[in-house]
Amino acid sequence: MPEARQPAVYAIGAQRGFADVLASGLLKRFGGDPLGLARTTLLIPNHRAGRAITEALVRHAADGLLLPRMVLIGDIDLDESLGALLDPLGDGAEVPPAVDPLERRFRLAALIAREGAGRAGAHDPAEALRLACEYARVLDQLQIEEKTLDDLDSIDVEADLAEHWAEARDLFLWVGRAWAADLIAMGRIDPADRRNRLLDKAAQRWREQPPQTPIIAAGITTAAPAIARLLRNIADLPQGMVVLPGLDLEMDELLWTAIGHPVTTPPALGSEPVEKPAVTHPQYHLKQLLHAMSVSRAEVQPWQAEPRTGPAADRARLLRSIFLPARLSDRWVTLEAADRRTRGIRIVEAENPDEEAQAIALMVRQALDEPARRVAIVTPDRSLAARVIAHLKRWEIDADDSAGEALPVTPPGRFLLAVAQCLADDFAPVALLDLFKHPLAQPGEARLAWLDEVRQLDRRLRGPRPAPGLRGIDIAIGNRPLREWWAAAKALLAPIGAWPRDPQPLSKTVAAIAAAADALSNQAVWTGLAGRCASDLVQQLLARTDAHDPLVTPSQAATILSRLMREKAVRPPYGKHPRVAIYGLLEARLQSADLVICAGLNEGVWPQIPSPDPWLAPMVRTALGLPPLEMRVGLAAQDLAGALASADVVLTRARRDGSAPTVASRFLLRLQAVAPDRHMEDMDALALARRLDRRLPPQRIDKPAPRPSAEQRVKRLSVTELDRLRADPFAFYAKRILGLPALDPVDAEPSAAWRGTLVHEILELWHRDDALDPALLVPRANRFLEAANVHPLIKALWRPRLVAALEWIAEQTETLAGEGRKMIDAERAGTFMIGEVEIRGKADRIDRMPDGTLAIVDYKTGKPPSARQVEAGFALQLGLLGMMAERGGFVAEGDQPAIGGKASGFEYWSLTRSKSGDFGYVDSPVGRKGRELTADNMLPTAEKFLREALDTWILGHAPFEAKLVPDQATYTEYDQLMRLAEWYGRQGSGR
């Protein structure tokens, strides 16, 4: 019987670059034989690790070499599978194939919807799919840790669980048992289960027939039972070795003990309580792995002799000091100077994320000036990574981003989602224009002509949202020249044009969305790497069968498509900068570079706050023996420790994010507590970043006051424009002289002008066609609303207010008629001349008073002008219409006789709520107590202000000054044109 062999387990400290030290050791052990490395098999955690080790071998090899065979263990977090050595072809009879992940999610969603009927969210397919994704993640974790549903069911914590947690656990068990039956029927198993079986099978095969060539597991830190058994088996092989990254062999025993004992099994009932281990310590998961392998730290040997002095030794002591467990943090007081050395570490604290990204980009640019210098940016903050990428493009540096680009932000992904959103919103203007303006909509030679027509469509769709569907767009376009182009564009949308609003199978909905995207883009949506990725996802969704093809509304389909696309990353295989890489925390493991920039070191970012498990309560997870969620903080600490192995490290953070101050990462605070060295602060990078994009000194912007020539000054004015001319001459100038009409926003709320126009049309026809019959006013308004091309929601919200106000108008008109006051016309247009200037206007309503005089009425859908405004000359409409009546401006039109006479009544009829709470009230600016304005001096007052305005701006040469009377200049359409924010409030300030 052969003697027991000490397990061949080695370690490389976190202070040393793992890939380079591993490569150096491999060459020393196997480099003497030209085929020595080629015979070696390396088990590595992921593709990125293999690439790093390959590059390190090439750097350290003096001559050419044959690389070792590299086999992936596969990182489930990175969605990687086992290598061919561990998952050979032809083993399907012994190990069933794994179920497709997407198919599993849809089947689990169907089970959740069925078993969880009546529970919140279970009836919504989109929410059920989200829950299914979380369910699959928890199920994988159970299987990785080799826990079963029976283990979960046997836990007796019902009395201590909140009701919702108990219900979640029960649903988890019901769904899990139904899923197990489905797997048996399909002849499939879960991916994590299959992974465990394959690893155990490989371990058994090597145990029974030890390989005749070296087998080395390098860089694997997962403490899952199946992996731990495989690693122990490799360590026991005659030519097997396990090389662990980041294990600290120099840590004193007291500190190693203070980390705590790894918890791999739940505590027995009635047993003595044990002290909670320091799961957030970077060495904890490595201690857990050694425990799972049944290997003590004393049995682990250094892969290469660790230096006792120099930068690497200093960095090792610093890391040990930074991450002291809480109960030994009193050591910080007595630390020696050698334990605090921070040479090669810089800290950059920017004011905001953009300044942080700019500083990082500058440091990268400076580093690239040195030949062969490699730079790695490590950050879990994807938005910060995107900012850095954008800043680097200033120097045409295209960084190799390991996360790739999320499919939804690529042109094909965004276009596909735009089609889905257009269907979900039932062709609402914003969604439709977003789709039509996308670069993939009609690409090629027809693009410019297409955009010209889309701009015309944009003009037609401004204002309140039209009726739902393509029919609403048809009505908005009407018989205008745009209708021919719209007919052709609508044909491209035919696959989704008449799609039912009730739930339909997801596969059919996605097929319709894909067909519309295909037609609208001339198949360009499927081109390129991102297009092929989108095509693959669509094909997977089209393959759904009735058993797991949920019925979804268009809105739910868009949500599902968006969620699935966010999980897809587009990674170009080539074309990136060879010396600049951006890594997430998982991808950065085992990587090395000459300059490492650890970015986003704020609490909640690095480390991230662990997301709660939506299915299993923390108490249940603890009782089951699952790794605590807080262990992710320890992994983040280990990732930082690995990044600090570089000789040149920069740690960056922003003091503020987009909305509030930030808190520095606990790791950064520990470093600053251990080594309060002001020399670590790198102010040069920040200063250069601020100077690079420094703002120019602010220039004084004077209030605009254009002075057009006499020929350019208009000689035809509306009675409603005089108020704007007096309060804000520039706004009048922009609208009437420059001819720049203000555009309503797309999909806007009903504006006061839109509501007023609708009310005026209703009241005009009520007078002319219905003879002021009170019983016909509300029915006519209802017919108008039904015919109006606006969204039903707008009609539903505004109809009650409109009906109540119109009923008041009918009652008020009938009451006044009984007093002898008759309505004689509505919406009557007229003109009169003041010298060479024509004043035109339209009276909403003109009444004949019992004494034969006239009453001028203006309908207001909002609050009417105050008596003070009228008296000050900033609400001249009623007075000018009175002048028009007295000067014979309302001439005969067709069968409508001329209207003339003295104007004695001036009233605003507001359709808003009165002080009593009812809709509708009358307000007159004349005859107010304490006011000088009366019915007799109303017209002279209006004429005085009219002539003053005409002499100043129309017949005179005065400039059209912006916001002449700010309190009365309430219109904001031209504020941007006048650059209001740049000068308003700064006159006379010296700025």
Side-chain angles (χ1 to χ4, degrees):
M1 185 173 179
E3 296 182 6
R5 176 178 179 266
Q6 179 178 331
V9 181
Y10 300 87
I12 298 174
Q15 75 278 7
R16 307 181 68 190
F18 180 83
D20 287 295
V21 177
L22 176 70
S24 176
L26 289 174
L27 290 172
K28 287 180 180 179
R29 285 171 170 83
F30 307 107
D33 183 353
L35 298 179
L37 272 180
R39 297 191 185 98
T40 304
T41 299
L42 284 183
L43 269 65
I44 55 177
N46 52 54
H47 287 289
R48 285 275 172 182
R51 177 176 169 182
I53 294 171
T54 299
E55 292 174 352
L57 285 169
V58 171
R59 284 196 300 271
H60 286 270
D63 301 311
L65 78 162
L66 295 176
L67 292 173
R69 179 184 184 183
M70 297 191 188
V71 179
L72 296 185
I73 284 291
D75 196 324
I76 286 185
D77 290 329
L78 295 177
D79 196 24
E80 292 180 335
S81 57
L82 294 173
L85 178 66
L86 302 176
D87 188 7
L89 296 176
D91 280 1
E94 297 183 30
V95 181
V99 65
D100 176 72
L102 190 60
E103 180 178 356
R104 176 171 72 155
R105 186 181 303 185
F106 276 97
R107 287 185 178 272
L108 285 173
L111 291 174
I112 291 171
R114 186 186 74 195
E115 301 291 343
R119 298 176 187 268
H123 65 283
D124 183 349
E127 179 63 11
L129 271 174
R130 186 191 69 81
L131 291 173
C133 181
E134 297 294 337
Y135 188 100
R137 185 175 293 115
V138 177
L139 187 61
D140 283 341
Q141 191 171 18
L142 286 175
Q143 292 174 345
I144 289 172
E145 299 298 328
E146 298 183 350
K147 307 296 181 182
T148 65
L149 294 178
D150 291 337
D151 295 333
L152 178 60
D153 197 15
S154 65
I155 296 174
D156 185 17
V157 291
E158 293 289 343
D160 299 321
L161 279 181
E163 182 180 356
H164 70 283
W165 280 122
E167 291 179 353
R169 191 188 77 152
D170 291 342
L171 180 57
F172 190 93
L173 289 169
W174 295 337
V175 172
R177 292 191 172 107
W179 173 238
D182 281 358
L183 286 176
I184 293 173
M186 290 188 294
R188 297 284 192 272
I189 57 176
D190 283 307
D193 185 15
R194 187 170 191 273
R195 173 190 176 89
N196 288 347
R197 297 190 194 187
L198 289 171
L199 291 175
D200 284 341
K201 184 180 177 185
Q204 180 182 0
R205 184 172 66 248
W206 288 340
R207 186 166 53 249
E208 294 173 352
Q209 298 179 355
Q212 300 302 310
T213 56
I215 303 290
I216 302 175
I220 299 168
T221 59
T222 305
I227 292 182
R229 287 193 296 270
L230 177 66
L231 294 182
R232 176 54 196 252
N233 186 268
I234 293 174
D236 289 337
L237 291 176
Q239 298 191 65
M241 301 180 207
V242 174
V243 186
L244 299 178
L247 181 62
D248 189 354
L249 298 180
E250 301 297 324
M251 180 183 292
D252 62 81
E253 196 61 32
L254 180 61
L255 178 52
W256 181 256
T257 304
I259 294 174
H261 187 73
V263 178
T264 56
T265 58
L269 292 176
S271 60
E272 289 292 329
V274 295
E275 185 175 356
K276 186 177 179 180
V279 295
T280 60
H281 194 279
Q283 294 291 308
Y284 175 78
H285 72 288
L286 293 169
K287 188 171 185 179
Q288 188 181 41
L289 175 59
L290 289 178
H291 178 77
M293 293 173 61
S294 299
V295 175
S296 70
R297 188 173 64 128
E299 296 178 284
V300 181
Q301 309 168 54
W303 179 250
Q304 284 189 344
E306 297 289 341
R308 298 291 180 177
T309 59
D314 291 343
R315 192 63 53 84
R317 299 182 71 173
L318 178 66
L319 291 175
R320 203 171 299 129
S321 303
I322 291 172
F323 296 111
L324 281 172
R327 65 179 185 170
L328 293 183
S329 57
D330 58 338
R331 288 189 178 185
W332 286 350
V333 180
T334 58
L335 286 177
E336 299 177 1
D339 297 322
R340 301 176 185 267
R341 290 173 183 160
T342 58
R343 183 179 180 182
I345 299 177
R346 292 175 284 161
I347 297 176
V348 174
E349 294 195 60
E351 291 301 321
N352 53 65
D354 192 63
E355 186 176 88
E356 180 183 8
Q358 180 73 282
I360 292 170
L362 279 167
M363 288 186 285
V364 173
R365 177 64 184 84
Q366 290 175 329
L368 292 180
D369 281 342
E370 300 181 31
R373 188 168 171 81
R374 295 172 296 122
V375 183
I377 304 165
V378 183
T379 178
D381 187 343
R382 289 306 308 158
S383 84
L384 178 60
R387 289 175 184 266
V388 173
I389 290 171
H391 282 298
L392 286 174
K393 287 183 178 178
R394 167 181 293 177
W395 299 289
E396 297 183 353
I397 299 172
D398 197 1
D400 182 8
D401 186 3
S402 65
E405 193 173 17
L407 181 57
V409 301
T410 63
R414 184 69 194 87
F415 185 71
L416 205 59
L417 286 180
V419 177
Q421 195 60 48
C422 196
L423 174 60
D425 291 348
D426 208 3
F427 303 96
V430 172
L432 183 64
L433 292 172
D434 176 51
L435 173 61
F436 280 1
K437 292 179 181 180
H438 192 282
L440 288 180
Q442 294 297 292
E445 296 180 359
R447 175 71 178 167
L448 293 179
W450 171 269
L451 288 179
D452 288 340
E453 302 292 351
V454 171
R455 292 187 188 98
Q456 296 302 316
L457 179 64
D458 185 304
R459 296 288 298 272
R460 291 304 315 154
L461 295 183
R462 290 185 175 268
R465 179 184 293 194
L470 296 176
R471 174 65 178 163
I473 311 297
D474 292 339
I475 298 173
I477 293 174
N479 292 323
R480 294 175 177 82
L482 191 63
R483 69 183 185 277
E484 295 182 5
W485 170 84
W486 170 243
K490 190 165 62 171
L492 298 175
L493 297 173
I496 60 174
W499 195 256
R501 307 310 297 175
D502 57 317
Q504 299 293 317
L506 176 64
S507 59
K508 292 183 179 179
T509 307
V510 171
I513 292 171
D518 186 90
L520 195 57
S521 68
N522 294 329
Q523 299 185 343
V525 67
W526 315 120
T527 60
L529 195 63
R532 292 193 293 274
C533 184
S535 176
D536 291 342
L537 177 60
V538 168
Q539 291 302 319
Q540 286 181 293
L541 293 175
L542 295 182
R544 301 301 99 206
T545 63
D546 294 339
H548 50 286
D549 192 9
L551 297 177
V552 296
T553 63
S555 178
Q556 292 168 344
T559 302
I560 291 172
L561 189 60
S562 176
R563 285 178 178 169
L564 293 178
M565 290 176 69
R566 284 199 298 267
E567 299 171 8
K568 301 290 184 181
V570 180
R571 299 182 178 91
Y574 56 86
K576 301 296 183 178
H577 199 286
R579 293 194 285 136
V580 181
I582 298 178
Y583 299 120
L585 298 191
L586 284 175
E587 295 87 356
R589 293 172 186 171
L590 310 188
Q591 305 297 322
S592 61
D594 300 302
L595 169 63
V596 175
I597 302 173
C598 300
L601 278 165
N602 283 327
E603 199 67 15
V605 178
W606 191 347
Q608 294 180 334
I609 299 174
S611 301
D613 186 337
W615 288 100
L616 301 181
M619 182 187 304
V620 174
R621 294 180 59 91
T622 302
L624 199 56
L626 292 178
L629 297 175
E630 293 79 9
M631 204 169 88
R632 298 174 189 173
V633 176
L635 294 175
Q638 178 67 13
D639 293 331
L640 179 61
L644 287 170
S646 175
D648 191 0
V649 181
V650 182
L651 310 177
T652 74
R653 66 174 291 259
R655 291 191 176 95
R656 290 186 65 88
D657 62 8
S659 58
T662 59
V663 177
S665 168
R666 66 189 72 180
F667 308 143
L668 186 59
L669 292 176
R670 279 173 165 264
L671 171 62
Q672 293 172 329
V674 168
D677 187 353
R678 304 296 297 178
H679 295 293
M680 283 194 296
E681 296 184 8
D682 186 354
M683 301 304 298
D684 294 340
L686 279 179
L688 189 56
R690 290 164 182 164
R691 290 182 61 191
L692 183 64
D693 282 334
R694 68 186 183 279
R695 295 183 178 180
L696 296 175
Q699 295 182 353
R700 181 185 179 89
I701 302 295
D702 294 327
K703 180 192 293 190
R707 194 188 300 267
S709 64
E711 294 77 15
Q712 293 173 319
R713 299 179 187 239
V714 294
K715 303 297 191 292
R716 190 166 182 258
L717 282 75
S718 166
V719 294
T720 59
E721 293 173 338
L722 267 300
D723 306 338
R724 187 186 297 242
L725 176 61
R726 298 193 71 251
D728 191 356
F730 182 89
F732 176 90
Y733 165 81
K735 182 177 181 181
R736 291 300 314 280
I737 297 178
L738 295 183
L740 299 175
L743 296 177
D744 287 332
V746 177
D747 211 353
E749 294 292 329
S751 63
W754 181 86
R755 295 195 301 266
T757 300
L758 184 61
V759 169
H760 292 163
E761 290 179 359
I762 293 171
L763 293 173
E764 179 182 5
L765 294 177
W766 178 56
H767 168 256
R768 294 184 179 174
D769 297 345
D770 298 337
L772 300 180
D773 185 346
L776 299 179
L777 180 55
V778 171
R780 175 173 289 280
N782 287 327
R783 291 196 299 274
F784 253 76
L785 279 177
E786 290 299 330
N789 184 33
V790 294
H791 197 271
L793 179 61
I794 295 176
K795 297 179 183 180
L797 292 176
W798 200 50
R799 186 191 302 271
R801 298 168 177 261
L802 176 63
V803 168
L806 292 179
E807 287 176 343
W808 171 81
I809 289 178
E811 294 172 3
Q812 185 76 2
T813 300
E814 191 173 16
T815 300
L816 294 176
E819 299 172 357
R821 174 174 167 175
K822 304 290 185 182
M823 178 178 177
I824 59 177
D825 208 350
E827 298 300 315
R828 186 63 177 268
T831 62
F832 70 97
M833 300 295 294
I834 297 291
E836 58 180 297
V837 180
E838 178 185 353
I839 307 299
R840 54 188 173 82
K842 182 179 287 188
D844 293 347
R845 171 173 174 159
I846 304 176
D847 288 3
R848 181 72 68 181
M849 306 292 279
D851 61 359
T853 59
L854 301 177
I856 309 298
V857 177
D858 185 23
Y859 294 121
K860 292 294 184 184
T861 56
K863 183 180 179 181
S866 66
R868 178 178 296 177
Q869 286 179 285
V870 178
E871 195 173 64
F874 295 106
L876 299 175
Q877 183 177 1
L878 289 179
L880 296 180
L881 290 173
M883 290 177 59
M884 193 176 295
E886 290 193 359
R887 297 188 180 207
F890 296 111
V891 298
E893 295 180 1
D895 58 350
Q896 299 292 325
I899 298 176
K902 178 178 176 56
S904 62
F906 306 93
E907 297 173 348
Y908 295 111
W909 285 26
S910 176
L911 306 188
T912 59
R913 289 185 185 271
S914 64
K915 293 181 180 179
S916 65
D918 298 326
F919 281 97
Y921 64 93
V922 177
D923 186 30
S924 177
V926 300
R928 293 286 188 90
K929 184 178 180 180
R931 291 289 173 191
E932 299 179 359
L933 191 64
T934 65
D936 293 332
N937 65 13
M938 176 74 167
L939 299 190
T941 300
E943 184 173 1
K944 182 190 74 169
F945 287 122
L946 171 62
R947 290 186 179 276
E948 179 185 286
L950 296 182
D951 291 341
T952 303
W953 291 288
I954 304 303
L955 303 176
H957 301 283
F960 288 79
E961 187 176 344
K963 300 290 182 184
L964 183 63
V965 186
D967 292 344
Q968 301 298 330
T970 57
Y971 298 99
T972 60
E973 300 97 319
Y974 301 100
D975 286 0
Q976 186 175 10
L977 181 64
M978 67 178 68
R979 299 168 69 176
L980 178 69
E982 299 182 49
W983 56 263
Y984 186 69
R986 299 180 181 178
Q987 294 86 354
S989 65
R991 295 179 61 184

